[in-house]
Coordinates of all heavy atoms in Angstrom, one line a residue:
T1 N 0.8 -1.2 0.0 CA 0.0 0.0 0.0 C 0.9 1.2 0.0 O 0.6 2.2 -0.7 CB -0.9 0.0 1.2 OG1 -1.8 -1.2 1.2 CG2 -1.8 1.2 1.2
V2 N 1.9 1.2 0.8 CA 2.8 2.4 0.9 C 3.5 2.6 -0.5 O 3.6 3.7 -1.0 CB 3.9 2.2 2.0 CG1 5.0 3.3 1.9 CG2 3.2 2.2 3.3
V3 N 3.9 1.5 -1.1 CA 4.6 1.7 -2.4 C 3.7 2.1 -3.5 O 4.0 3.0 -4.4 CB 5.2 0.3 -2.8 CG1 5.7 0.3 -4.3 CG2 6.4 0.0 -1.9
N4 N 2.4 1.7 -3.5 CA 1.5 2.0 -4.5 C 0.8 3.3 -4.4 O 0.3 3.9 -5.3 CB 0.4 0.9 -4.7 CG 1.0 -0.4 -5.2 OD1 1.9 -0.4 -6.0 ND2 0.4 -1.5 -4.8
A5 N 0.7 3.8 -3.1 CA 0.0 5.0 -2.8 C 0.8 6.3 -2.9 O 2.1 6.2 -2.8 CB -0.7 4.9 -1.4
Y6 N 0.2 7.4 -3.2 CA 1.0 8.7 -3.3 C 1.0 9.4 -2.0 O 2.0 10.1 -1.7 CB 0.3 9.6 -4.4 CG 0.4 9.0 -5.8 CD1 -0.7 8.8 -6.5 CD2 1.6 8.7 -6.3 CE1 -0.7 8.3 -7.8 CE2 1.7 8.1 -7.6 CZ 0.6 7.9 -8.3 OH 0.6 7.4 -9.6
L7 N 0.0 9.3 -1.2 CA -0.1 10.0 0.1 C 1.1 9.8 1.0 O 1.7 10.8 1.5 CB -1.4 9.7 0.8 CG -1.6 10.5 2.1 CD1 -1.6 12.0 1.9 CD2 -2.9 10.1 2.8
P8 N 1.5 8.5 1.3 CA 2.7 8.3 2.2 C 4.0 8.6 1.5 O 5.0 8.5 2.2 CB 2.5 6.9 2.6 CG 1.8 6.2 1.5 CD 0.9 7.3 0.9
K9 N 4.0 8.9 0.3 CA 5.3 9.2 -0.4 C 5.4 10.7 -0.8 O 5.8 11.5 0.1 CB 5.4 8.3 -1.7 CG 5.4 6.8 -1.4 CD 5.7 6.1 -2.7 CE 4.6 6.2 -3.8 NZ 4.8 5.4 -5.0
G10 N 5.1 11.0 -2.0 CA 5.4 12.4 -2.5 C 4.5 13.5 -1.9 O 4.9 14.6 -1.7
V11 N 3.2 13.1 -1.6 CA 2.3 14.1 -1.1 C 2.8 14.8 0.2 O 2.7 16.1 0.3 CB 0.9 13.6 -0.9 CG1 -0.1 14.6 -0.2 CG2 0.3 13.1 -2.2
V12 N 3.3 14.0 1.1 CA 3.8 14.6 2.3 C 5.0 15.6 2.1 O 5.0 16.7 2.6 CB 4.3 13.5 3.3 CG1 5.0 14.1 4.5 CG2 3.1 12.6 3.7
L13 N 5.9 15.2 1.2 CA 7.1 16.0 1.0 C 6.7 17.3 0.2 O 7.3 18.4 0.4 CB 8.2 15.2 0.3 CG 8.8 14.1 1.1 CD1 9.8 13.4 0.3 CD2 9.3 14.5 2.4
V14 N 5.8 17.2 -0.7 CA 5.3 18.3 -1.4 C 4.6 19.3 -0.4 O 4.7 20.5 -0.5 CB 4.3 17.9 -2.6 CG1 3.6 19.2 -3.2 CG2 5.1 17.2 -3.7
A15 N 3.8 18.7 0.5 CA 3.2 19.6 1.5 C 4.2 20.3 2.3 O 4.0 21.5 2.7 CB 2.3 18.7 2.4
L16 N 5.4 19.7 2.6 CA 6.4 20.4 3.4 C 7.1 21.5 2.6 O 7.5 22.5 3.1 CB 7.5 19.3 3.8 CG 7.1 18.3 4.9 CD1 8.2 17.4 5.2 CD2 6.6 19.0 6.1
L17 N 7.1 21.3 1.2 CA 7.6 22.4 0.4 C 6.7 23.6 0.5 O 7.2 24.8 0.6 CB 7.7 21.9 -1.1 CG 8.8 21.0 -1.4 CD1 8.7 20.5 -2.9 CD2 10.2 21.6 -1.2
W18 N 5.4 23.4 0.5 CA 4.4 24.5 0.7 C 4.6 25.1 2.0 O 4.5 26.3 2.2 CB 3.0 24.0 0.5 CG 2.6 23.8 -1.0 CD1 2.7 22.7 -1.7 CD2 2.2 24.8 -1.9 NE1 2.3 22.9 -3.0 CE2 2.0 24.2 -3.1 CE3 1.9 26.2 -1.7 CZ2 1.5 24.9 -4.3 CZ3 1.4 26.9 -2.9 CH2 1.3 26.3 -4.1
W19 N 4.9 24.3 3.0 CA 5.1 24.9 4.4 C 6.3 25.8 4.4 O 6.3 26.9 4.9 CB 5.3 23.7 5.4 CG 5.7 24.2 6.8 CD1 4.8 24.7 7.7 CD2 7.0 24.3 7.3 NE1 5.5 25.1 8.8 CE2 6.9 24.9 8.6 CE3 8.3 24.0 6.8 CZ2 8.0 25.1 9.4 CZ3 9.4 24.3 7.6 CH2 9.2 24.8 8.9
V20 N 7.4 25.4 3.7 CA 8.6 26.2 3.7 C 8.3 27.5 2.9 O 8.7 28.6 3.3 CB 9.7 25.5 3.0 CG1 10.9 26.4 2.7 CG2 10.2 24.3 3.8
W21 N 7.5 27.4 1.8 CA 7.1 28.6 1.0 C 6.4 29.6 1.8 O 6.6 30.8 1.7 CB 6.3 28.1 -0.2 CG 6.0 29.3 -1.1 CD1 4.9 30.1 -1.1 CD2 6.7 29.7 -2.3 NE1 4.9 31.0 -2.1 CE2 6.0 30.8 -2.8 CE3 7.9 29.3 -2.9 CZ2 6.5 31.5 -4.0 CZ3 8.4 30.0 -4.0 CH2 7.7 31.1 -4.5
F22 N 5.4 29.2 2.6 CA 4.6 30.1 3.4 C 5.0 30.1 4.9 O 4.2 30.7 5.7 CB 3.1 29.6 3.3 CG 2.4 29.8 2.0 CD1 2.2 28.8 1.2 CD2 2.1 31.1 1.6 CE1 1.6 29.0 -0.1 CE2 1.5 31.3 0.3 CZ 1.3 30.3 -0.5
R23 N 6.2 29.6 5.2 CA 6.7 29.6 6.5 C 6.6 31.0 7.2 O 7.2 32.0 6.6 CB 8.1 29.1 6.5 CG 8.7 28.9 7.9 CD 10.1 28.4 7.8 NE 10.8 28.3 9.1 CZ 12.0 27.9 9.2 NH1 12.8 27.7 8.2 NH2 12.6 27.7 10.4
P24 N 5.9 31.2 8.3 CA 5.8 32.5 8.8 C 7.1 32.9 9.5 O 7.8 32.1 10.1 CB 4.7 32.3 9.9 CG 4.7 30.9 10.3 CD 5.2 30.1 9.0
E25 N 7.4 34.2 9.4 CA 8.5 34.8 10.0 C 8.0 35.9 10.9 O 6.9 36.5 10.7 CB 9.5 35.4 9.0 CG 10.0 34.4 8.0 CD 10.9 33.3 8.6 OE1 11.4 33.5 9.7 OE2 11.1 32.3 8.0
R26 N 8.7 36.2 12.0 CA 8.3 37.3 12.8 C 8.3 38.6 12.1 O 9.3 39.0 11.5 CB 9.2 37.4 14.1 CG 9.0 36.2 15.0 CD 10.0 36.4 16.2 NE 11.4 36.4 15.7 CZ 12.4 36.7 16.5 NH1 12.2 37.0 17.7 NH2 13.6 36.7 16.0
A27 N 7.2 39.3 12.1 CA 7.1 40.5 11.3 C 8.1 41.6 11.7 O 8.5 42.4 10.9 CB 5.6 41.1 11.4
E28 N 8.4 41.6 13.0 CA 9.3 42.6 13.5 C 10.8 42.3 13.3 O 11.7 43.1 13.7 CB 9.0 42.9 15.0 CG 9.4 41.8 16.0 CD 8.4 40.7 16.0 OE1 7.4 40.8 15.3 OE2 8.5 39.9 16.9
A29 N 11.1 41.0 12.9 CA 12.4 40.6 12.8 C 13.2 41.3 11.7 O 12.6 41.4 10.6 CB 12.5 39.1 12.6
P30 N 14.4 41.8 11.9 CA 15.2 42.4 10.9 C 15.6 41.4 9.8 O 15.9 40.3 10.1 CB 16.4 42.9 11.6 CG 16.5 42.1 12.8 CD 15.1 41.8 13.2
G31 N 15.5 41.8 8.6 CA 15.9 40.9 7.5 C 14.8 39.9 7.2 O 15.1 38.9 6.6
D32 N 13.6 40.1 7.7 CA 12.5 39.1 7.5 C 12.3 38.8 6.0 O 12.1 37.7 5.6 CB 11.2 39.7 8.1 CG 10.1 38.8 7.9 OD1 10.1 37.6 8.4 OD2 9.2 39.2 7.1
E33 N 12.3 39.9 5.2 CA 12.0 39.6 3.8 C 13.1 38.9 3.1 O 12.8 38.0 2.2 CB 11.8 41.0 3.0 CG 11.3 40.9 1.6 CD 9.9 40.1 1.6 OE1 9.1 40.3 2.5 OE2 9.8 39.3 0.6
S34 N 14.3 39.1 3.5 CA 15.4 38.3 2.9 C 15.4 36.9 3.3 O 15.7 36.0 2.5 CB 16.8 39.0 3.2 OG 17.0 38.9 4.6
V35 N 15.0 36.6 4.5 CA 14.8 35.2 5.0 C 13.7 34.5 4.2 O 13.9 33.4 3.8 CB 14.5 35.2 6.5 CG1 14.2 33.8 6.9 CG2 15.7 35.7 7.3
R36 N 12.6 35.2 4.0 CA 11.5 34.6 3.3 C 11.9 34.4 1.8 O 11.6 33.3 1.3 CB 10.3 35.6 3.3 CG 9.1 35.0 2.5 CD 7.9 35.9 2.6 NE 7.3 36.0 4.0 CZ 7.5 37.0 4.9 NH1 8.1 38.1 4.5 NH2 6.9 36.9 6.1
R37 N 12.6 35.3 1.2 CA 13.1 35.1 -0.2 C 14.0 33.9 -0.2 O 14.0 33.1 -1.2 CB 13.7 36.3 -0.7 CG 14.2 36.2 -2.2 CD 14.8 37.5 -2.7 NE 15.2 37.2 -4.1 CZ 14.4 37.4 -5.2 NH1 13.2 37.7 -5.0 NH2 14.9 37.2 -6.4
H38 N 14.9 33.8 0.7 CA 15.9 32.7 0.8 C 15.2 31.4 0.9 O 15.5 30.4 0.1 CB 16.8 32.9 2.0 CG 17.8 31.7 2.1 ND1 18.9 31.6 1.3 CD2 17.9 30.7 3.0 CE1 19.6 30.5 1.6 NE2 19.0 30.0 2.7
N39 N 14.1 31.3 1.7 CA 13.4 30.0 1.9 C 12.7 29.7 0.6 O 12.6 28.5 0.2 CB 12.4 30.2 3.0 CG 13.0 30.1 4.4 OD1 14.1 29.6 4.5 ND2 12.3 30.7 5.3
R40 N 12.1 30.7 -0.1 CA 11.4 30.4 -1.4 C 12.4 30.1 -2.5 O 12.0 29.2 -3.3 CB 10.5 31.6 -1.7 CG 9.4 31.8 -0.7 CD 8.4 32.9 -1.1 NE 7.3 32.9 -0.2 CZ 6.2 33.7 -0.4 NH1 6.1 34.5 -1.4 NH2 5.2 33.6 0.5
E41 N 13.6 30.6 -2.5 CA 14.6 30.2 -3.4 C 14.9 28.7 -3.2 O 15.1 28.0 -4.2 CB 15.8 31.0 -3.2 CG 15.7 32.4 -3.8 CD 17.0 33.2 -3.5 OE1 17.9 32.7 -2.8 OE2 17.1 34.3 -4.1

């Protein structure tokens, strides 16, 4: 089931990519935008 299914394989890792993309940073932190850009890169 694990080998044949997509959920326990790629879906989880793709979801983690989206988490990194939208990963919240502290709004008041200096260099916040550069950190966000680095994560998205």
Side-chain angles (χ1 to χ4, degrees):
T1 302
V2 171
V3 168
N4 291 328
Y6 295 122
L7 181 60
K9 295 189 297 186
V11 172
V12 172
L13 296 182
V14 170
L16 291 179
L17 287 176
W18 281 95
W19 175 81
V20 174
W21 182 271
F22 289 108
R23 183 181 180 183
E25 304 292 341
R26 291 178 300 168
E28 70 277 7
D32 174 68
E33 189 57 38
S34 64
V35 172
R36 180 177 292 107
R37 181 178 180 86
H38 178 75
N39 286 339
R40 293 186 171 185
E41 286 178 350

